[in-house]
Amino acid sequence: MTGRCPFSSRRGFLAAATGLVAAAGSATVARAAATEPLPAIEPFWGEHQGGIATPAQQHVYFLAFDLRATKREEVAGLMRTWTEAAARMTAGDTAGVLGTDTARPGADSGDAIGLPPARLTITFGFGPGLFVKDDKDRYGLAALRPEALPDLPLFNGDQLVEARTGGDICIQACADDPQVAFHAARQLARLSYGAAEIRWAQSGFNPAAAPGETPRNLMGFKDGTNNPTPKDAARFAKVVWAGEEGPAWMRGGSYLVARRIRIALEHWDRTEVDFQEEVVGRRKYSGAPIGGGHEFDTPDLAAADKDGNPTIAENAHIRLAAPANNDGAQILRRGFAYNDGVNLTAERWPPWRQGMEFDAGLFFLAYQRDPRAGFIKIYDSMSKLDAMNQFATHVGSGLFACPPGAQPGEYVGQALLGGATG
Ligand code: HEM
């Protein structure tokens, strides 16, 4: 699969390099390599795409593309090329077989050679523009557009930047190494030349929390406490995987809502901790719901103090986001912090600070079976009432239908794109 050149795969290179070092008599390096744990590989082929139920990695590199292809076959060809490269890279290989002819560009940029697979997952999604763009059914796919893939409505407070919003196709590359994630996105971007153009990109990171600990977000709160887990398979499937209610090509897939949410960190950092806790509805350091003692205690939304005021404020984030407040609606949150330097910013809440502020926040990624009964349902009231809105502004957005996984020999999205041109 990887050709005969010993360096034609990243792991091949690693093995060859280790061999050379050992042969040269460097016992220290050889011993270190022998005791290191094996690099973790997340499966690429399967019922579902990786990067959804996969425990969140530490890094993401996300790309949204505008399609330039004029025919459905070209889009299908792109997905086949991408699938093949993604399968190789998630296994720790180069995107293509490296040749020995150095007078030609390589089949891989080479910057991940020697790096472990780092649990790389690559998840593909289709935006509304694949089906209809500027009122045109470019690829004969309009009739196959799922009802669960509407154009997202404009929510209260949205300040979406056109250049960070939308996209006909997306790639979510997640890995425990930032260079492995970026490398994968970069190879796929190169392989798209002629068929697609990058529209926007976002990188993000999660802290390496201790095993069993919920990582903290940039606001200093544990984030991800109350999130569906694949350990509860029935609930997870109900919340995350598309079923018989939609088109056959999406069964076993999931819908991704991406939101670039800028957080006014300067404002937040000057806010009293007890007010921050009221905003979230949880204690900052323990993660426990207000009124509870431990992180995983069930929030008591009915509890009131002696004056009859709700213990968890009416406008607290976790109250408004709770299934109990949203006809049972749930989503799988799989977000990452982002930090893109500083910008001249005028805040939209008192004290209306202006100046150089961090362009940082949450790259919110949420998977669900149907966004109309998931993100759209939940965020509709949150966008109007959530106390967190004083600190958070949605500046980028996308909605994508991520098809089910592929089996070896197939490509992701084949059930949609593989038919005769309509
Ligand atoms: C800057 C933006 C945001 C931050 C910093 C943030 C942070 C948090 C934190 C700290 C929690 C409590 C711990 C947990 O259960 O994970 C939480 C819960 C939650 N958040 Fe957010 N969040 C943000 C935006 C959103 C948005 C846009 C949604 C949209 C639907 C959302 C949905 C939820 C849900 C569903 C929960 C669980 C609520 C429950 O306990 O049932 N969050 N978030």
Side-chain angles (χ1 to χ4, degrees), residues 217 219 221-226 261 263 280 282 299 317-318 321-323 331 333 362 364 375 378-379 382 388 392 394:
N217 62 26
M219 288 174 140
F221 277 74
K222 295 188 177 193
D223 199 337
T225 304
N226 202 357
I261 309 177
I263 302 176
V280 175
R282 286 184 177 272
H317 185 71
I318 64 160
I331 52 178
R333 288 170 292 134
L362 176 68
F364 176 92
F375 178 83
I378 300 169
Y379 192 58
M382 284 174 82
M388 200 181 272
H394 292 223

Tab-separated table of all heavy atoms in Angstrom, residues 217 219 221-226 261 263 280 282 299 317-318 321-323 331 333 362 364 375 378-379 382 388 392 394, ligand 1:
chain	number	residue	atom	x	y	z
A	217	ASN	N	-12.472	25.421	29.856
A	217	ASN	CA	-12.434	26.319	28.701
A	217	ASN	C	-11.703	27.603	29.080
A	217	ASN	O	-11.213	27.747	30.205
A	217	ASN	CB	-13.853	26.573	28.176
A	217	ASN	CG	-14.729	27.253	29.222
A	217	ASN	OD1	-14.236	27.949	30.111
A	217	ASN	ND2	-16.036	27.062	29.123
A	219	MET	N	-12.797	30.358	29.829
A	219	MET	CA	-13.430	31.092	30.922
A	219	MET	C	-13.061	30.496	32.281
A	219	MET	O	-13.490	31.006	33.315
A	219	MET	CB	-14.951	31.077	30.748
A	219	MET	CG	-15.421	31.962	29.592
A	219	MET	SD	-17.203	31.763	29.345
A	219	MET	CE	-17.688	33.455	28.999
A	221	PHE	N	-13.941	27.519	33.345
A	221	PHE	CA	-14.958	26.561	33.814
A	221	PHE	C	-14.754	25.207	33.146
A	221	PHE	O	-14.334	25.141	31.984
A	221	PHE	CB	-16.365	27.076	33.484
A	221	PHE	CG	-16.892	28.064	34.495
A	221	PHE	CD1	-16.398	29.361	34.536
A	221	PHE	CD2	-17.855	27.693	35.421
A	221	PHE	CE1	-16.858	30.282	35.472
A	221	PHE	CE2	-18.324	28.601	36.366
A	221	PHE	CZ	-17.826	29.903	36.390
A	222	LYS	N	-15.112	24.159	33.878
A	222	LYS	CA	-15.101	22.821	33.275
A	222	LYS	C	-16.157	22.803	32.175
A	222	LYS	O	-17.289	23.235	32.412
A	222	LYS	CB	-15.397	21.760	34.325
A	222	LYS	CG	-14.318	21.676	35.387
A	222	LYS	CD	-14.546	20.493	36.310
A	222	LYS	CE	-13.392	20.431	37.308
A	222	LYS	NZ	-13.362	19.166	38.043
A	223	ASP	N	-15.783	22.319	31.013
A	223	ASP	CA	-16.694	22.378	29.864
A	223	ASP	C	-16.812	20.980	29.260
A	223	ASP	O	-15.809	20.415	28.818
A	223	ASP	CB	-16.148	23.376	28.838
A	223	ASP	CG	-17.215	23.850	27.874
A	223	ASP	OD1	-18.222	23.135	27.697
A	223	ASP	OD2	-17.035	24.930	27.276
A	224	GLY	N	-18.033	20.461	29.264
A	224	GLY	CA	-18.251	19.119	28.723
A	224	GLY	C	-18.795	18.159	29.773
A	224	GLY	O	-18.928	16.961	29.525
A	225	THR	N	-19.132	18.701	30.950
A	225	THR	CA	-19.618	17.856	32.044
A	225	THR	C	-20.874	17.094	31.628
A	225	THR	O	-20.954	15.869	31.753
A	225	THR	CB	-19.950	18.725	33.275
A	225	THR	OG1	-18.786	19.471	33.620
A	225	THR	CG2	-20.415	17.879	34.452
A	226	ASN	N	-21.840	17.845	31.153
A	226	ASN	CA	-23.129	17.228	30.831
A	226	ASN	C	-23.262	17.120	29.312
A	226	ASN	O	-23.836	17.985	28.662
A	226	ASN	CB	-24.262	18.071	31.425
A	226	ASN	CG	-25.522	17.241	31.585
A	226	ASN	OD1	-25.545	16.070	31.201
A	226	ASN	ND2	-26.562	17.839	32.120
A	261	ILE	N	-17.139	31.497	18.299
A	261	ILE	CA	-17.727	32.357	19.326
A	261	ILE	C	-16.601	33.119	20.036
A	261	ILE	O	-15.795	32.521	20.762
A	261	ILE	CB	-18.540	31.546	20.362
A	261	ILE	CG1	-19.544	30.618	19.645
A	261	ILE	CG2	-19.261	32.478	21.321
A	261	ILE	CD1	-20.354	29.728	20.583
A	263	ILE	N	-15.046	35.328	22.796
A	263	ILE	CA	-15.352	35.607	24.206
A	263	ILE	C	-14.586	36.864	24.611
A	263	ILE	O	-13.381	36.981	24.340
A	263	ILE	CB	-14.945	34.438	25.126
A	263	ILE	CG1	-15.655	33.143	24.694
A	263	ILE	CG2	-15.287	34.753	26.579
A	263	ILE	CD1	-15.247	31.912	25.492
A	280	VAL	N	-22.981	30.969	34.495
A	280	VAL	CA	-22.899	29.586	33.995
A	280	VAL	C	-23.956	28.703	34.677
A	280	VAL	O	-24.555	27.836	34.040
A	280	VAL	CB	-21.477	29.005	34.214
A	280	VAL	CG1	-21.418	27.536	33.802
A	280	VAL	CG2	-20.449	29.811	33.430
A	282	ARG	N	-22.994	27.065	37.424
A	282	ARG	CA	-22.129	26.055	38.066
A	282	ARG	C	-21.019	26.759	38.843
A	282	ARG	O	-20.687	27.910	38.546
A	282	ARG	CB	-21.476	25.139	37.010
A	282	ARG	CG	-22.432	24.140	36.394
A	282	ARG	CD	-21.696	23.192	35.436
A	282	ARG	NE	-22.615	22.198	34.907
A	282	ARG	CZ	-22.885	21.035	35.506
A	282	ARG	NH1	-22.284	20.707	36.637
A	282	ARG	NH2	-23.737	20.182	34.966
A	299	PRO	N	-28.199	19.049	38.060
A	299	PRO	CA	-28.635	20.400	38.460
A	299	PRO	C	-30.109	20.373	38.885
A	299	PRO	O	-30.941	19.777	38.197
A	299	PRO	CB	-28.456	21.223	37.173
A	299	PRO	CG	-27.525	20.437	36.311
A	299	PRO	CD	-27.725	19.001	36.673
A	317	HIS	N	-26.650	29.883	31.952
A	317	HIS	CA	-26.367	29.121	30.726
A	317	HIS	C	-26.905	27.686	30.814
A	317	HIS	O	-27.591	27.220	29.902
A	317	HIS	CB	-24.855	29.133	30.501
A	317	HIS	CG	-24.394	28.503	29.237
A	317	HIS	ND1	-24.599	29.072	28.005
A	317	HIS	CD2	-23.736	27.331	29.002
A	317	HIS	CE1	-24.067	28.295	27.069
A	317	HIS	NE2	-23.546	27.227	27.643
A	318	ILE	N	-26.610	26.998	31.913
A	318	ILE	CA	-27.005	25.575	31.941
A	318	ILE	C	-28.514	25.384	32.082
A	318	ILE	O	-29.041	24.353	31.698
A	318	ILE	CB	-26.267	24.729	33.023
A	318	ILE	CG1	-26.607	25.189	34.438
A	318	ILE	CG2	-24.780	24.689	32.780
A	318	ILE	CD1	-26.300	24.092	35.471
A	321	ALA	N	-29.810	25.908	28.479
A	321	ALA	CA	-29.332	24.863	27.561
A	321	ALA	C	-29.873	23.480	27.916
A	321	ALA	O	-29.756	22.549	27.122
A	321	ALA	CB	-27.805	24.836	27.581
A	322	ALA	N	-30.449	23.354	29.113
A	322	ALA	CA	-30.834	22.025	29.611
A	322	ALA	C	-31.959	21.405	28.780
A	322	ALA	O	-32.862	22.111	28.323
A	322	ALA	CB	-31.279	22.141	31.066
A	323	PRO	N	-31.933	20.090	28.592
A	323	PRO	CA	-33.018	19.422	27.866
A	323	PRO	C	-34.390	19.767	28.457
A	323	PRO	O	-35.357	19.947	27.725
A	323	PRO	CB	-32.706	17.935	28.034
A	323	PRO	CG	-31.253	17.875	28.349
A	323	PRO	CD	-30.883	19.148	29.021
A	331	ILE	N	-27.620	17.897	22.208
A	331	ILE	CA	-26.589	17.893	21.168
A	331	ILE	C	-25.314	17.318	21.770
A	331	ILE	O	-25.180	17.257	22.993
A	331	ILE	CB	-26.306	19.328	20.648
A	331	ILE	CG1	-26.006	20.266	21.834
A	331	ILE	CG2	-27.465	19.858	19.812
A	331	ILE	CD1	-25.657	21.690	21.424
A	333	ARG	N	-21.626	18.240	22.182
A	333	ARG	CA	-20.675	19.347	22.024
A	333	ARG	C	-19.273	18.781	21.915
A	333	ARG	O	-18.882	17.915	22.706
A	333	ARG	CB	-20.770	20.303	23.213
A	333	ARG	CG	-22.057	21.122	23.203
A	333	ARG	CD	-22.242	21.880	24.490
A	333	ARG	NE	-22.506	20.997	25.607
A	333	ARG	CZ	-21.915	21.090	26.802
A	333	ARG	NH1	-21.041	22.028	27.050
A	333	ARG	NH2	-22.218	20.248	27.770
A	362	LEU	N	-14.362	30.302	21.817
A	362	LEU	CA	-14.723	28.893	21.683
A	362	LEU	C	-15.070	28.601	20.228
A	362	LEU	O	-15.917	29.278	19.640
A	362	LEU	CB	-15.944	28.595	22.570
A	362	LEU	CG	-16.519	27.181	22.473
A	362	LEU	CD1	-15.554	26.151	23.059
A	362	LEU	CD2	-17.858	27.078	23.224
A	364	PHE	N	-17.034	26.386	18.698
A	364	PHE	CA	-18.120	25.493	19.127
A	364	PHE	C	-18.442	24.545	17.979
A	364	PHE	O	-18.764	24.988	16.862
A	364	PHE	CB	-19.316	26.380	19.475
A	364	PHE	CG	-20.577	25.656	19.853
A	364	PHE	CD1	-20.857	25.360	21.182
A	364	PHE	CD2	-21.514	25.310	18.893
A	364	PHE	CE1	-22.032	24.717	21.531
A	364	PHE	CE2	-22.688	24.669	19.232
A	364	PHE	CZ	-22.947	24.371	20.559
A	375	PHE	N	-29.451	22.139	17.793
A	375	PHE	CA	-28.873	23.479	18.002
A	375	PHE	C	-29.886	24.597	17.782
A	375	PHE	O	-29.987	25.522	18.591
A	375	PHE	CB	-27.666	23.676	17.071
A	375	PHE	CG	-27.065	25.054	17.194
A	375	PHE	CD1	-26.162	25.339	18.211
A	375	PHE	CD2	-27.419	26.064	16.316
A	375	PHE	CE1	-25.623	26.622	18.349
A	375	PHE	CE2	-26.889	27.343	16.444
A	375	PHE	CZ	-25.986	27.616	17.460
A	378	ILE	N	-32.338	24.770	20.644
A	378	ILE	CA	-31.757	25.173	21.935
A	378	ILE	C	-31.275	26.622	21.882
A	378	ILE	O	-31.514	27.414	22.798
A	378	ILE	CB	-30.574	24.244	22.315
A	378	ILE	CG1	-31.037	22.789	22.432
A	378	ILE	CG2	-29.919	24.694	23.620
A	378	ILE	CD1	-29.899	21.776	22.544
A	379	TYR	N	-30.610	26.963	20.784
A	379	TYR	CA	-29.964	28.285	20.753
A	379	TYR	C	-30.957	29.415	20.492
A	379	TYR	O	-30.663	30.582	20.798
A	379	TYR	CB	-28.807	28.291	19.735
A	379	TYR	CG	-27.959	29.533	19.887
A	379	TYR	CD1	-27.343	29.819	21.109
A	379	TYR	CD2	-27.803	30.431	18.850
A	379	TYR	CE1	-26.600	30.971	21.287
A	379	TYR	CE2	-27.063	31.582	19.012
A	379	TYR	CZ	-26.462	31.846	20.233
A	379	TYR	OH	-25.731	32.999	20.416
A	382	MET	N	-31.654	30.673	23.919
A	382	MET	CA	-30.381	31.088	24.540
A	382	MET	C	-29.863	32.383	23.937
A	382	MET	O	-29.319	33.233	24.635
A	382	MET	CB	-29.323	30.004	24.336
A	382	MET	CG	-29.471	28.798	25.223
A	382	MET	SD	-28.275	27.531	24.759
A	382	MET	CE	-26.830	28.100	25.609
A	388	MET	N	-24.698	34.553	29.432
A	388	MET	CA	-23.364	34.457	28.836
A	388	MET	C	-23.204	35.342	27.595
A	388	MET	O	-22.087	35.629	27.161
A	388	MET	CB	-23.060	32.994	28.500
A	388	MET	CG	-21.579	32.711	28.346
A	388	MET	SD	-21.289	31.001	27.920
A	388	MET	CE	-21.192	30.259	29.533
A	392	ALA	N	-20.071	36.677	25.083
A	392	ALA	CA	-19.844	35.808	23.920
A	392	ALA	C	-20.553	36.374	22.685
A	392	ALA	O	-21.713	36.760	22.759
A	392	ALA	CB	-20.371	34.404	24.229
A	394	HIS	N	-21.155	35.487	18.519
A	394	HIS	CA	-20.969	34.514	17.433
A	394	HIS	C	-20.526	35.270	16.177
A	394	HIS	O	-21.259	36.103	15.660
A	394	HIS	CB	-22.273	33.761	17.164
A	394	HIS	CG	-22.663	32.852	18.294
A	394	HIS	ND1	-23.137	31.568	18.103
A	394	HIS	CD2	-22.634	33.025	19.641
A	394	HIS	CE1	-23.381	31.004	19.280
A	394	HIS	NE2	-23.099	31.877	20.215
B	1	HEM	C1	-18.672	30.978	24.546
B	1	HEM	C2	-19.599	30.082	24.395
B	1	HEM	C3	-19.898	29.000	25.382
B	1	HEM	C4	-19.248	28.639	26.532
B	1	HEM	C5	-17.990	29.247	27.116
B	1	HEM	C6	-19.983	27.537	27.097
B	1	HEM	C7	-19.655	26.914	28.303
B	1	HEM	C8	-20.420	25.956	28.925
B	1	HEM	C9	-20.186	25.432	30.241
B	1	HEM	C10	-19.042	25.870	31.149
B	1	HEM	C11	-21.138	24.514	30.513
B	1	HEM	C12	-21.312	23.728	31.815
B	1	HEM	C13	-20.553	22.445	31.843
B	1	HEM	C14	-21.044	21.377	30.890
B	1	HEM	O1	-22.072	20.733	31.114
B	1	HEM	O2	-20.369	21.200	29.878
B	1	HEM	C15	-21.983	24.433	29.332
B	1	HEM	C16	-23.057	23.601	29.186
B	1	HEM	C17	-23.819	23.517	28.051
B	1	HEM	N1	-23.749	24.334	26.949
B	1	HEM	FE1	-22.431	25.821	26.655
B	1	HEM	N2	-21.033	27.231	26.285
B	1	HEM	C18	-21.021	28.105	25.236
B	1	HEM	C19	-21.907	28.152	24.192
B	1	HEM	C20	-22.936	27.276	24.010
B	1	HEM	C21	-23.842	27.315	22.903
B	1	HEM	C22	-23.815	28.309	21.741
B	1	HEM	C23	-24.701	26.288	23.053
B	1	HEM	C24	-25.794	26.008	22.075
B	1	HEM	C25	-26.708	25.179	22.096
B	1	HEM	C26	-24.332	25.593	24.285
B	1	HEM	C27	-24.932	24.474	24.815
B	1	HEM	C28	-24.665	23.909	26.035
B	1	HEM	C29	-25.365	22.748	26.560
B	1	HEM	C30	-26.457	21.951	25.847
B	1	HEM	C31	-24.845	22.517	27.838
B	1	HEM	C32	-25.263	21.416	28.815
B	1	HEM	C33	-26.438	21.916	29.604
B	1	HEM	C34	-26.961	20.882	30.569
B	1	HEM	O3	-26.459	20.839	31.703
B	1	HEM	O4	-27.834	20.124	30.189
B	1	HEM	N3	-23.269	26.238	24.841
B	1	HEM	N4	-21.520	25.340	28.391
